[in-house]
Amino acid sequence: KLCGYLQKLSGKGPLRGFRSRWFVFDPRRCYLYYFKGPQDPLPLGHLDIASACFSYHQPEVGATAAGDEPAAFEVHSPGGAVTVLKAATRRDMTYWLQELQQKRWEYCNNLDAAKRDSRTSPTPSDFSKGLVAKDSPGTILSQNASAERARNILAVDTSPTDLVGEQAASQPAPVQASAINFSLKQWSTEIKNSMSSLRKGSNENRKSVFYTTEEWELLDPTPKDLEDSMALEEKRKHLAEGNKGLTSSAFPFDFGRIPHKARRPLKDIIGSSKNRNSSDSSPTEWCSGNGNRLVSELQLKYESQQEELEKLKKDLLSQKELVRLLQQTVRSSQYDKYFASRLCEGVPKDTLELLHQKDDQIFGLNNQLEKLNLEKDSLQLEVKNLKCKVGELNERLGMLMETIQAKDEVIMKLSRQLSECEDSTSSQSGAINTPTATYTNKELQELDRLKDNLQGYKTQNKFLNKEILELSTLRRNAEAREREWQAKYTSLEAKLCQIESKYLILLQEMKTPVCSEDQSPAREVITQLLEDALKAEPSEQPEQAFFKPHLVSEYDIYGFQTIPEDDDEEKLVAKSRALDLRSLSLSENREISTGVKWENYLASTMNREMMRCVELKNLIRSGIPHEHRSKMWKWCVNLHSKKFKDSAVPGYFQILLQKALEKPNPASKQIELDLLRTLPNNKHYSSPTSEGIQKLRNVLLAFSWRNPDIGYCQGLNRLVAIALLYLEQEDAFWCLVTIVEVFMPRDYYTKTLLGSQVDQRVFKDLLSEKLPRLHAHFEQYKVDYTLITFNWFLVVFVDSVVSDILFKIWDSFLYEGPKVIFRFALALFKYKEEEILKLQDSMSIFKYLRYFTRTILDARKLTAIAFGDLNPFPLRQIRNRRAYHLEKVRLELTELEAIREDFLRERETCVEKRDLISDDEEDS
C-alpha cells in the first residue's frame, strides 16, 4: 500500500507554505488522496495520477545534494495545475516518483486491456476474484517489450524511510515551522473529520457524508445543485489561477512560466540557474504586481461572460429540441387523422389492427434510430477529446525533450570543468607549498560538490528519460484507442445507414402499397430483418472483434448464455430481452451517482476498517458494482462466519478437502451426478473440462465432511456455483457455511426439508398480509404458488430471475440475511400483480407463474418495491411465524411417520396379500 507523509504547498499570500499531509494511493481510480492525518475518514482532496506527469529540480551547483535533505517535486495535472509536494529526504522523493510512475503505467495499461474486451468486462476489475475475474484482463499488456526493458534499465534503486508505508501512520507528522497547518478551503472537511474522531462507539448508527469532486459535494445532490456547484468550482479555479498570475495555456505541462522575466529558451534558463536565487521564482512575489491583478480581474470577467454564453447556448439547444419534438408530434397526429379518414371506411377490423401494429413498430424503430444517432454523437465527441489529449501529450513530449537536451548540455559543461580541475590539480601537485595546500583543499571541496551535483544530474536525467519513455508509450496507446474508436464509429454509421434504408422501404410501403400482400417488398424486408436478427455472429479475429458493434454478445459478464440455441422463436424473445437489459444498463451507466458513492465510500475506508452502518446497507441495496463485488462479498462472508473461522484450525478447508479425496463419503456419488446439471447455461460449468467444475466439486466435498448431517442436498451446488463466480474456493466454502449454518434455520437442507416447508407457510402469511388481492385471487382459483416459490427460497432465486437482478439480490442477501428472500419474493409478485389478476383460470395462472420472473428486467424498480413499498418488514415477525409453523409442520410429519409405520407393520403381518399368482398357477 503506497502511503506516507508528504508536505503540500498550499495557501495564498502570507499563509502560503508547506503543510504536512497524509497521502494514500487508491489503485481503483489511480487517485492520490491526501488527508490531514492517518485517522481521518474523509480526504481533503485528491490528485489524478493517471493523467499527470512528474518533474523535479536538481539543486544548484552551490547547494548541497545530500540524500537526507528535504526534496520537492511537482505533479502536473491537465489544465495547467501544478501541485508541489515535498518529501522529508531525497531518497523518499525518488521512491514516491518511481512508485507513482509505476502505478500510472499499470493503471493505464490495465485500462487499455479492459477496453479491448469491454463486452465481457465493462470495467477493469483490479480486486475481482473467482471465475468472473478470469474473463477480465488482470495483467499488464506488454505491447512494447523494448519499452519495458528500457523502463527497467532507467529505474533507480532506492528504499524509503520510516515516513513512507503503513508503518508511517504511527510516526508523528513532520511539521514545517514556518507554515500554519490550517486550510480555510477544507475547513468543513476538517471539522467533520474532527467530529468523527471524537464520536467513538457511535459508528454503527453514524451516517457519513461522501463527496464527489475536488470540493467534495454532498452524497445525494439534486441536478440543479450539481450544475450550480460545477459552475462555482470553475469560478474558483479561474480565480485561483488569476491570483497566482498564471496565463492561460493550450497545454497543461508548461515549463516556460518564469516570473518577472520574459520568456527565454529553456537552455538559457537552466544555464543561468546557478546565478539566480531560488526565492526569485516564488509564486508569492510573482502575484504581487498591480498589472497582474488587473489582468486577473479581466480574465475572471471574461470567463464569467463565457459561462453565461455557454448557458444560453444550452438553453437554445434545448428549445430547438423541444420544437423538433412538437413538430414531430403534430406531423404524426396529422398523418393519423388523414390515414383514419381515408382508410377507415370499408376497411376490415383486422386490417386496421394490423395497420396500428405497424404504426407502433414504426414508432419503435424511429426511437431506436434516435438512440443510434445519440450514440453516434457521443462517439464523435469522444474522438474529438482523444485528439485533444494526443495533442497535449505531443506538446509535453517536445518540452521534455528540450529539457533533457538542455540538461545534457549542463552535464557536459560540468564534466569539462571537472576534467580541467583534475588536470590542473595533477600538474601542480609537485610544486605545492604550505600556503597553496590550503587553496588546493578548497578546490578539492569544490570538486566534491561538483561530483555530487553531477551524480544528481545523472539521476535526474535517468528519471526524465523514463518519464519521456512512459509518456510516449501512453501517447501511442491513446492514438491506437482513437483509431479503434474511429473504426467502431464508422461501422456503427454503416449499420445505421442500412437500418435507415430498410425502414424507409417499410414506411413507403405502409404509406402507398403497390403490390399485393404476398408479394409486398415490406414482407421481404421484414423477413430479411428477422433473419439478420437471428443470424449467428461469425467468428472474428481479435482485432476485428473490438471495433465491430456488438449490442448482444453470446455470454453476459457473469458467463451466462444470453441467447438459447434450439428454438428460433425463443431466440428472438431472448435477444429482445437481452437488448432491453443492454438498454437499461446503458441508461444506468449515464447516471453515475451510484458508482461515485461507492468510490467515495471505499476512499473513506482507506484509513479505517469497514464496518456495518446505515450508509453501507443503503449502498449494498442499490447494488455492488461489478469491480467491487468480489471484495464486498468476501467481507460479508467474513463478517458472518468469523466465529466459525476463529474456532477452526489453520488450513481447515484443505484438511477437509484432503479427507474427502482420500476417503469418499456417501454424498460423493450424488455430487458427481449433479456437477454438470448445476448451471449448464453458464460457460464456467458447461463441460467437464470447465474450470468451475473442479472448484465446485472441491467445495461440495469439503462441506459434506464438515456437515455430515446434511452431507449434500440438491440446491447446494447452485449456491456454491454462484459464489464461485466472485470468490475463490475457500471463500466460497465459508459462504456456503454462512448460508446453511448462519442464515437458514436448521433442517433447511436435510432430507425432510423441514425449514423450507416452514418458510413457504410463512411466505403465505406475508403474501396475504402485504398483497391481499393477489392472495384472494390465488385462493379463488386454487393455485398452489408454493410449487414455484419453493425453489426461490431453496437456491436464492438462481435460475429464476435474470442475472443482473440475481446478483443484486445476492448482494443484499449476503449482507442482511434471509429476510431479503422474503422481500424480493413478495416484490416479484407485486411487480406483476395487475397482470396476474387479469388471468381468470388456474391453468393460465400457473403457466404464467412458471416464467413471469424472467420477464422482469428493471432491477431498480424491483429494488424500490422490495425495500420501500413493502415496509415495515421486521425480522421479529418472521421469527415468530417460523416458530408457530414449525410446531405445526413437526406435528404433521409425526402423524405421517406414524401412518407410514402402521402401513409397514400391516404389510409385514399380512403375508398372503403379498403373494403373487403366476400364469401357470391360473392355468392349473
Side-chain angles (χ1 to χ4, degrees):
K1 187 174 182 179
L2 181 59
C3 56
Y5 283 107
L6 289 173
Q7 293 184 3
K8 180 177 179 292
L9 183 63
S10 58
K12 299 176 183 177
L15 294 179
R16 186 170 180 80
F18 285 97
R19 292 169 176 82
S20 179
R21 295 286 182 255
W22 174 258
F23 284 79
V24 181
F25 180 78
D26 182 6
R28 294 186 305 269
R29 305 178 70 184
C30 202
Y31 279 2
L32 186 64
Y33 289 98
Y34 54 91
F35 303 77
K36 188 175 181 181
Q39 306 304 324
D40 288 349
L42 297 178
L44 302 176
H46 69 271
L47 304 176
D48 187 0
I49 301 301
S51 56
C53 54
F54 316 104
S55 66
Y56 72 92
H57 296 289
Q58 182 66 16
E60 297 182 0
V61 178
T64 177
D68 55 353
E69 291 293 327
F73 61 95
E74 297 174 350
V75 181
H76 298 260
S77 302
V82 180
T83 304
V84 181
L85 304 177
K86 183 186 289 187
T89 63
R90 183 163 294 276
R91 189 172 58 174
D92 285 346
M93 180 197 72
T94 306
Y95 178 81
W96 273 102
L97 286 172
Q98 293 223 105
E99 287 297 314
L100 291 176
Q101 271 188 337
Q102 181 67 22
K103 300 296 184 184
R104 181 187 61 189
W105 178 261
E106 293 175 358
Y107 178 82
C108 292
N109 281 287
N110 277 330
L111 197 63
D112 292 338
K115 287 187 176 180
R116 288 183 180 277
D117 198 11
S118 58
R119 290 172 293 148
T120 57
S121 178
T123 51
S125 46
D126 298 333
F127 295 93
S128 291
K129 305 287 184 183
L131 298 172
V132 171
K134 307 298 181 183
D135 299 330
S136 303
T139 57
I140 300 175
L141 291 179
S142 299
Q143 296 179 345
N144 194 338
S146 61
E148 194 67 36
R149 287 195 299 270
R151 289 182 70 255
N152 295 331
I153 293 172
L154 294 173
V156 179
D157 295 332
T158 183
S159 57
T161 62
D162 294 337
L163 293 177
V164 181
E166 294 185 6
Q167 72 279 359
S170 58
Q171 301 286 336
V175 180
Q176 187 83 2
S178 61
I180 301 174
N181 195 14
F182 178 76
S183 174
L184 293 175
K185 185 177 180 181
Q186 294 100 3
W187 65 272
S188 59
T189 305
E190 294 185 3
I191 291 175
K192 290 168 187 172
N193 287 331
S194 301
M195 294 301 295
S196 64
S197 62
L198 290 175
R199 288 188 292 182
K200 302 283 181 67
S202 60
N203 292 325
E204 191 68 26
N205 299 318
R206 178 168 59 85
K207 183 173 181 64
S208 300
V209 180
F210 305 126
Y211 305 86
T212 56
T213 63
E214 184 80 23
E215 295 298 322
W216 299 88
E217 300 167 3
L218 291 178
L219 178 67
D220 290 316
T222 62
K224 186 176 184 303
D225 293 336
L226 280 175
E227 293 179 2
D228 296 340
S229 61
M230 290 175 65
L232 182 60
E233 175 67 15
E234 290 296 327
K235 289 183 179 180
R236 287 178 179 170
K237 287 183 179 179
H238 291 305
L239 181 59
E241 291 178 0
N243 290 334
K244 293 179 183 177
L246 299 177
T247 57
S248 60
S249 175
F251 49 87
F253 195 32
D254 193 354
F255 280 108
R257 296 190 179 118
I258 306 299
H260 294 307
K261 296 182 181 180
R263 300 259 179 159
R264 296 178 295 162
L266 194 59
K267 175 182 174 181
D268 299 338
I269 295 174
I270 298 179
S272 62
S273 61
K274 61 183 180 179
N275 297 323
R276 177 167 47 89
N277 195 299
S278 61
S279 63
D280 291 341
S281 61
S282 170
T284 306
E285 281 189 31
W286 187 20
C287 65
S288 62
N290 294 328
N292 285 336
R293 282 199 297 270
L294 182 59
V295 171
S296 301
E297 293 175 359
L298 293 175
Q299 184 179 0
L300 180 60
K301 189 178 298 183
Y302 171 74
E303 294 295 337
S304 63
Q305 293 176 354
Q306 286 288 106
E307 290 175 4
E308 293 178 1
L309 180 60
E310 291 296 329
K311 288 182 179 178
L312 291 175
K313 287 182 179 179
K314 289 181 181 178
D315 293 339
L316 180 60
L317 288 176
S318 62
Q319 294 297 330
K320 286 182 178 179
E321 181 66 18
L322 180 60
V323 169
R324 187 186 66 81
L325 292 174
L326 291 174
Q327 289 175 348
Q328 183 178 357
T329 306
V330 170
R331 285 197 300 269
S332 177
S333 61
Q334 290 176 350
Y335 169 73
D336 290 342
K337 183 178 178 181
Y338 171 79
F339 188 85
S341 62
R342 293 300 182 93
L343 298 181
C344 286
E345 297 178 358
V347 179
K349 185 177 180 181
D350 296 338
T351 306
L352 287 176
E353 292 180 354
L354 179 61
L355 291 176
H356 285 302
Q357 290 177 2
K358 296 298 182 181
D359 287 339
D360 294 339
Q361 290 179 1
I362 291 171
F363 183 71
L365 294 175
N366 285 330
N367 290 336
Q368 186 177 2
L369 183 61
E370 291 182 359
K371 291 180 181 178
L372 289 173
N373 285 327
L374 291 175
E375 187 175 358
K376 182 184 73 172
D377 295 338
S378 63
L379 287 174
Q380 287 177 340
L381 182 61
E382 189 167 357
V383 168
K384 183 179 179 181
N385 294 334
L386 286 174
K387 288 182 179 178
C388 294
K389 290 183 180 178
V390 169
E392 293 177 359
L393 288 175
N394 284 328
E395 292 174 352
R396 292 185 192 175
L397 181 61
M399 298 190 66
L400 286 172
M401 292 295 292
E402 186 180 353
T403 305
I404 293 299
Q405 182 180 359
K407 298 230 177 207
D408 286 341
E409 293 179 1
V410 173
I411 291 173
M412 294 298 297
K413 182 178 179 181
L414 291 174
S415 300
R416 286 195 298 270
Q417 292 179 1
L418 178 61
S419 60
E420 291 174 0
C421 291
E422 289 177 350
D423 294 341
S424 62
T425 303
S426 59
S427 62
Q428 296 177 3
S429 59
I432 294 179
N433 51 19
T434 304
T436 56
T438 305
Y439 181 71
T440 305
N441 289 333
K442 294 181 179 179
E443 290 183 343
L444 290 175
Q445 293 176 359
E446 183 67 21
L447 181 62
D448 291 338
R449 283 196 296 271
L450 290 173
K451 287 181 178 180
D452 291 340
N453 282 282
L454 178 61
Q455 185 62 35
Y457 278 118
K458 287 181 178 179
T459 303
Q460 185 184 19
N461 192 21
K462 290 177 68 175
F463 169 77
L464 291 176
N465 281 329
K466 184 180 178 184
E467 182 75 3
I468 291 173
L469 174 68
E470 290 192 2
L471 291 175
S472 301
T473 305
L474 296 177
R475 177 181 59 82
R476 287 194 297 271
N477 292 342
E479 291 175 347
R481 283 199 302 271
E482 181 186 356
R483 289 192 296 270
E484 290 165 349
W485 282 115
Q486 185 66 34
K488 183 177 181 181
Y489 161 72
T490 304
S491 179
L492 282 173
E493 191 173 19
K495 186 175 181 180
L496 177 63
C497 292
Q498 295 174 2
I499 293 174
E500 285 181 347
S501 174
K502 294 175 182 178
Y503 292 159
L504 287 175
I505 294 174
L506 283 175
L507 291 174
Q508 180 66 26
E509 177 63 20
M510 293 299 298
K511 184 178 180 181
T512 55
V514 295
C515 301
S516 64
E517 186 176 353
D518 294 337
Q519 299 176 350
S520 170
R523 178 178 292 275
E524 296 178 2
V525 172
I526 292 174
T527 304
Q528 184 63 37
L529 286 173
L530 286 174
E531 291 178 359
D532 293 342
L534 296 175
K535 189 183 298 181
E537 293 170 349
S539 59
E540 304 138 343
Q541 299 298 326
E543 61 273 9
Q544 296 174 345
F546 173 74
F547 59 80
K548 186 178 184 301
H550 290 276
L551 295 179
V552 178
S553 58
E554 184 179 0
Y555 297 96
D556 60 14
I557 62 173
Y558 315 105
F560 288 99
Q561 194 174 21
T562 55
I563 302 175
E565 300 177 354
D566 44 8
D567 188 10
D568 284 349
E569 184 175 355
E570 182 63 25
K571 275 186 180 181
L572 195 61
V573 174
K575 190 159 187 176
S576 173
R577 185 189 306 131
L579 285 170
D580 289 339
L581 282 171
R582 174 74 172 165
S583 175
L584 284 171
S585 64
L586 289 174
S587 63
E588 289 179 358
N589 286 340
R590 295 193 193 104
E591 300 175 6
I592 60 172
S593 58
T594 302
V596 170
K597 291 175 187 177
W598 270 104
E599 293 294 344
N600 292 326
Y601 177 79
L602 294 175
S604 69
T605 61
M606 286 190 294
N607 291 333
R608 59 184 176 90
E609 291 292 331
M610 201 181 302
M611 59 185 63
R612 295 175 71 102
C613 55
V614 176
E615 61 265 31
L616 179 59
K617 182 171 73 172
N618 291 333
L619 281 176
I620 291 178
R621 285 181 173 183
S622 66
I624 302 174
H626 171 74
E627 61 270 22
H628 303 313
R629 185 167 279 135
S630 294
K631 177 182 178 180
M632 293 306 301
W633 278 21
K634 183 176 180 180
W635 179 83
C636 290
V637 169
N638 291 336
L639 180 70
H640 295 294
S641 63
K642 188 175 186 302
K643 59 180 180 180
F644 296 112
K645 284 188 172 183
D646 293 342
S647 60
V649 297
Y652 178 64
F653 171 73
Q654 296 298 331
I655 293 172
L656 292 176
L657 182 58
Q658 187 65 29
K659 186 186 297 185
L661 295 177
E662 293 175 355
K663 184 181 178 182
N665 59 11
S668 302
K669 185 176 180 180
Q670 188 60 43
I671 289 173
E672 288 295 329
L673 291 175
D674 286 347
L675 287 177
L676 290 178
R677 295 183 294 190
T678 302
L679 292 177
N681 60 337
N682 191 291
K683 65 181 180 180
H684 301 295
Y685 306 99
S686 58
S687 68
T689 58
S690 298
E691 184 180 2
I693 293 295
Q694 182 59 43
K695 293 184 176 182
L696 181 62
R697 179 188 293 114
N698 293 343
V699 175
L700 291 174
L701 288 174
F703 182 80
S704 67
W705 277 96
R706 170 184 169 82
N707 195 329
D709 183 36
I710 296 176
Y712 171 73
C713 171
Q714 288 184 343
L716 298 182
N717 54 336
R718 294 188 175 187
L719 297 176
V720 176
I722 293 298
L724 282 172
L725 292 178
Y726 281 99
L727 299 173
E728 295 297 339
Q729 290 185 71
E730 186 170 356
D731 296 323
F733 167 78
W734 288 112
C735 180
L736 183 62
V737 171
T738 299
I739 295 173
V740 176
E741 301 181 16
V742 179
F743 287 168
M744 300 303 190
R746 291 187 59 186
D747 299 326
Y748 211 89
Y749 295 99
T750 54
K751 293 180 180 179
T752 61
L753 298 175
L754 177 62
S756 301
Q757 297 182 53
V758 170
D759 270 2
Q760 293 309 302
R761 302 193 180 194
V762 174
F763 180 67
K764 272 190 174 182
D765 293 346
L766 293 174
L767 187 69
S768 63
E769 177 186 334
K770 300 289 184 180
L771 302 173
R773 287 197 305 153
L774 191 60
H775 177 75
H777 190 67
F778 287 145
E779 292 294 325
Q780 178 184 354
Y781 293 100
K782 301 293 189 292
V783 176
D784 186 8
Y785 53 87
T786 59
L787 297 175
I788 304 296
T789 59
F790 186 85
N791 196 53
W792 296 359
F793 284 74
L794 196 66
V795 297
V796 196
F797 298 100
V798 178
D799 268 351
S800 297
V801 295
V802 295
S803 54
D804 286 341
I805 293 178
L806 173 66
F807 285 95
K808 283 183 169 60
I809 294 175
W810 271 66
D811 292 341
S812 301
F813 171 68
L814 291 179
Y815 182 77
E816 299 185 47
K819 185 173 71 170
V820 170
I821 304 178
F822 290 96
R823 280 186 178 273
F824 276 97
L826 291 170
L828 289 171
F829 279 115
K830 186 172 179 60
Y831 195 107
K832 293 291 185 178
E833 182 179 13
E834 298 301 326
E835 286 80 354
I836 297 174
L837 291 176
K838 293 177 183 177
L839 303 175
Q840 299 299 322
D841 62 273
S842 58
M843 290 298 295
S844 60
I845 293 174
F846 194 77
K847 184 179 178 181
Y848 184 75
L849 293 181
R850 293 185 63 182
Y851 73 87
F852 84 100
T853 56
R854 306 292 299 181
T855 64
I856 297 176
L857 307 178
D858 194 344
R860 183 175 298 181
K861 180 180 177 181
L862 184 67
T863 303
I865 295 173
F867 295 111
D869 298 350
L870 297 176
N871 285 334
F873 210 93
L875 182 61
R876 181 176 60 257
Q877 180 185 8
I878 295 177
R879 288 173 178 167
N880 294 337
R881 292 180 184 271
R882 274 177 171 171
Y884 170 73
H885 288 291
L886 180 62
E887 295 300 325
K888 294 182 65 175
V889 174
R890 278 179 176 170
L891 182 60
E892 292 174 4
L893 291 177
T894 304
E895 294 176 355
L896 286 174
E897 184 66 22
I899 295 173
R900 189 180 71 87
E901 290 177 357
D902 292 342
F903 171 76
L904 293 175
R905 191 181 305 110
E906 182 181 357
R907 186 181 179 186
E908 292 295 332
T909 54
C910 301
V911 182
E912 64 277 2
K913 293 183 179 180
R914 296 164 52 198
D915 293 340
L916 294 176
I917 300 175
S918 66
D919 295 338
D920 296 338
E921 292 175 350
E922 288 181 352
D923 294 339
S924 63

